[in-house]
């Protein structure tokens, strides 16, 4: 290495691809060992989520969507906690510094930074002989004491989810070439929509303040609605009765369900939805729904919190409990 | 999976090993999707560093020391920036949930949490088929606007390092079975000391306030003194002249150097020192040295900042420039 060249390969990689994204003054152009985050009198909400090649994304997923997913899974946590995005740091474990991969990765990340107003504050790039891994720690702000917890659900509260449930699991099924791929062989647009839902989640940050104003408890749905609802109920010391027919499905998912291609189990246990699951006191529900309407985020009441400590139950149109094969994805 | 068991393997792993470490009220017993960090009117300093098996630590390093190193490399950044530790989040990429590895890992981490007063706020565990990876994002507090940057060094300032330089590189050399291992074949205590310096860095957090009070610029030495000094000088738009003979060495390193087993290049380019490198205005040096003395952290003046833009130069006892083969470790 030329003695005159004082920057290492890692430094020049960071300079080329990531410095242009770090426009926050506290990021110091990624030229220091640390960043400064101003709390501005608020609480700082901290969340961290990593995605691993072959586990959370596929080797041939486009780098642009991998970047978006890495950031968005964290933005989704901030949204569910009622927090406004304030910045993030990125750890990137790469096999090699491949421009053909890094350029679209940085482009996708940069676009989402702008879209969600969440600036890049710093990062670390390391080499690994193993799968790619992207770990992001994201920061949000809430007024002091106002982070929405998992543990405040009360009997009688409505159980509410945003958007639609199950699309991402179907998209992953298509990428893996299963029954869904066969069933949609002639419908390229439907396949593309579902794959997109898997690759590029739509975090509901527009709803963060409404959640903060009205929800008694909230979390994002990352490991499947059934399992995540069970976690929320356990944290709150309650149970829930869910009307499976009211779970919001996309037109495509509803058609696949009606044709018997997929069951309720896949839709509510598949994971990767990144919708918000929250509980809303009955007395606030109307105002909540109105406020949500103003944000453009669809919200659907799917059931009721009940005073019980057994796991939540999913009921069919006749009020019979639906047996679910497994609650959610677990890494171990 | 039993429908009644609402916790996944990942959740129970977190509960068993990491919940006992997360005693900060803002960590919510690791039972929520995010943590709350209170700024208390200060700036939050954010730093992130990942360590990868086979790159930053060896497969057969004890889990207890891997945990300590993962946290300490981040604590070292906070110390160099003049920040008081305020907490951290951990991402752990594991091949399997092996109790024999996780128990000592959590024990080592827990001891360092207590030792450095840096509480665990959250984390994410993911499975990987590849090498182990531990990514930590750590937070510190400084009075508003007082983070010590890399870019404030001025001509005439003293160049100062803490502790001793080069021991960790020699320790790694021993673990790899090179010339150092042969030279120290009969000195188990010396070998153990050097290996310990590689596996368990000693971050200089005790010196953080003194650095904040006096340093014009600072960073920690992670990639080798020569390369990191070049970065500090580049950020400050200055150069430096280093008296190689004044670089603080442990007794063992000095003896190996005197015997010709290792050259200056290995000592100043080897990396993993995790000492603080800072520049101190000449007028403040005496008070700085006194204040440092009260903390018990050894500080040594090794040279002078000069008004030049060429890379810093390392000079021998006759004032001749020492040619260094490469400046520092780069991942790519």
């Amino acid at each position: 290495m030329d003695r005159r060249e004082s920057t290492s390969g890692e430094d020049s990689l960071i300079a080329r691809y990531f410095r242009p994204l770090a426009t926050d003054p506290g990021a110091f152009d990624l030229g220091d060992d640390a960043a400064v985050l101003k709390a501005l009198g608020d609480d700082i909400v901290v969340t961290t989520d990593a995605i691993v090649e072959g586990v959370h994304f596929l080797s041939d997923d486009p780098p642009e969507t991998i970047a978006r997913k890495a950031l968005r899974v964290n933005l989704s946590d901030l949204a569910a906690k009622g927090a406004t995005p304030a910045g993030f740091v990125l750890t990137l474990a790469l096999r090699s510094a491949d421009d053909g991969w890094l350029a679209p990765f940085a482009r996708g990340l940069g676009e989402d930074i702008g879209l969600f107003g969440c600036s890049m504050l710093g990062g670390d790039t390391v080499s690994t002989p193993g799968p790619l891994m992207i770990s992001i720690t994201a920061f949000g702000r809430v007024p002091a004491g106002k982070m929405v917890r998992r543990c405040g659900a009360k009997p009688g509260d409505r159980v509410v989810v945003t958007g639609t449930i199950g699309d991402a699991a179907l998209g992953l099924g298509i990428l893996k070439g299963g029954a869904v791929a066969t069933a949609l062989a002639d419908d390229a647009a439907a396949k593309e929509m579902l794959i997109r839902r898997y690759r590029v989640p739509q975090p509901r940050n527009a709803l963060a303040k409404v959640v903060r104003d009205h929800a008694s408890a909230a979390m994002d749905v990352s490991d499947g609605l059934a399992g995540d609802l069970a976690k929320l109920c356990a944290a709150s010391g309650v149970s829930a009765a869910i009307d499976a027919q009211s779970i919001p499905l996309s037109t495509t998912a509803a058609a696949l369900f009606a044709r018997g291609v997929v069951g309720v189990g896949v839709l509510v246990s598949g994971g990767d939805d990144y919708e918000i699951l929250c509980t809303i006191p009955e007395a606030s529900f109307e105002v909540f729904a109105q406020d949500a309407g103003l944000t453009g985020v669809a919200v659907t009441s799917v059931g009721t919190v009940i005073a019980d400590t057994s796991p939540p139950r999913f009921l069919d149109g006749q009020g019979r409990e639906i047996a679910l094969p497994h609650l959610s994805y677990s890494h171990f």
Side-chain angles (χ1 to χ4, degrees), chain A:
Chain A
M1 181 180 173
D2 186 338
R3 182 96 215 263
R4 299 278 129 185
E5 186 194 343
S6 70
T7 55
S8 68
E10 182 184 351
D11 288 339
S12 77
L13 183 160
I14 290 170
R16 198 165 349 136
Y17 293 111
F18 297 114
R19 191 164 300 160
L21 309 183
T23 55
D24 189 289
F28 305 121
D29 292 325
L30 304 185
D32 215 300
D33 309 274
V36 164
L37 180 62
K38 302 259 176 198
L40 309 174
D42 289 334
D43 281 355
I44 299 291
V45 173
V46 182
T47 186
T48 188
D49 258 314
I51 65 173
V52 179
E53 181 183 24
V55 181
H56 304 84
F57 64 92
L58 304 175
S59 300
D60 54 359
D61 280 346
E64 170 256 337
T65 71
I66 297 170
R68 291 180 191 269
K69 185 162 187 174
L71 181 57
R72 287 173 179 224
V73 301
N74 283 284
L75 287 167
S76 178
D77 278 318
L78 294 180
K81 301 290 103 181
T84 305
F88 71 95
V89 295
L90 166 78
T91 296
L92 202 51
L94 300 171
R95 282 183 294 272
S96 64
D98 171 6
D99 291 279
W101 192 91
L102 280 163
F105 181 90
R107 193 169 55 241
L109 194 63
E111 286 176 11
D112 273 2
I113 286 170
L115 211 50
F116 294 95
C118 191
S119 51
M120 182 167 182
L121 292 173
D124 191 22
T125 53
V126 294
S127 60
T128 173
L132 294 183
M133 177 167 155
I134 302 122
S135 172
I136 284 184
T137 301
F139 313 107
R141 295 190 183 94
V142 290
K146 293 295 185 191
M147 188 185 98
V148 184
R149 301 284 311 279
R150 284 186 185 179
C151 60
K154 295 279 182 299
D157 289 355
R158 297 272 192 114
V159 178
V160 171
V161 293
T162 59
T164 57
I165 295 294
D167 297 324
L170 300 176
L172 178 59
I174 293 168
L175 291 168
K176 288 186 167 173
V180 178
T182 310
L184 293 178
D186 297 329
D187 193 344
K191 280 193 291 191
E192 197 185 322
M193 183 280 283
L194 295 175
I195 291 169
R196 187 81 184 161
R197 289 276 286 159
Y198 170 71
R199 285 181 172 159
V200 185
Q202 188 54 253
R204 304 304 182 180
N205 297 80
L207 202 69
K209 185 176 182 302
V210 179
V211 170
R212 199 168 75 215
D213 286 347
H214 298 292
S216 54
M219 66 186 294
D220 75 335
V221 183
S222 56
D223 293 335
L225 177 61
D228 287 337
L229 177 61
K231 289 176 194 173
L232 187 147
C233 286
S236 297
V238 296
S239 186
I242 302 299
D243 170 18
Q245 291 188 305
S246 67
I247 294 172
L249 302 180
S250 65
T251 310
T252 302
L256 290 167
F257 177 66
R259 288 166 59 189
V261 178
V262 295
V264 174
V266 169
L267 299 172
V268 302
S269 307
D272 277 308
D273 291 305
Y274 298 103
E275 297 291 351
I276 295 176
L277 166 69
C278 59
T279 57
I280 306 288
E282 184 61 39
S284 317
F285 184 75
E286 200 173 326
V287 181
F288 165 79
Q290 283 168 5
D291 288 356
L294 297 174
T295 70
V297 178
V299 296
T300 307
S301 172
V302 297
T304 307
V305 176
I306 55 177
D308 189 4
T309 54
S310 63
R313 283 187 283 195
F314 286 72
L315 308 172
D316 69 12
Q318 283 72 49
R320 293 173 305 212
E321 183 170 358
I322 302 169
L324 296 174
H326 62 93
L327 279 179
S328 64
Y329 183 81
S330 173
H331 284 290
F332 299 106

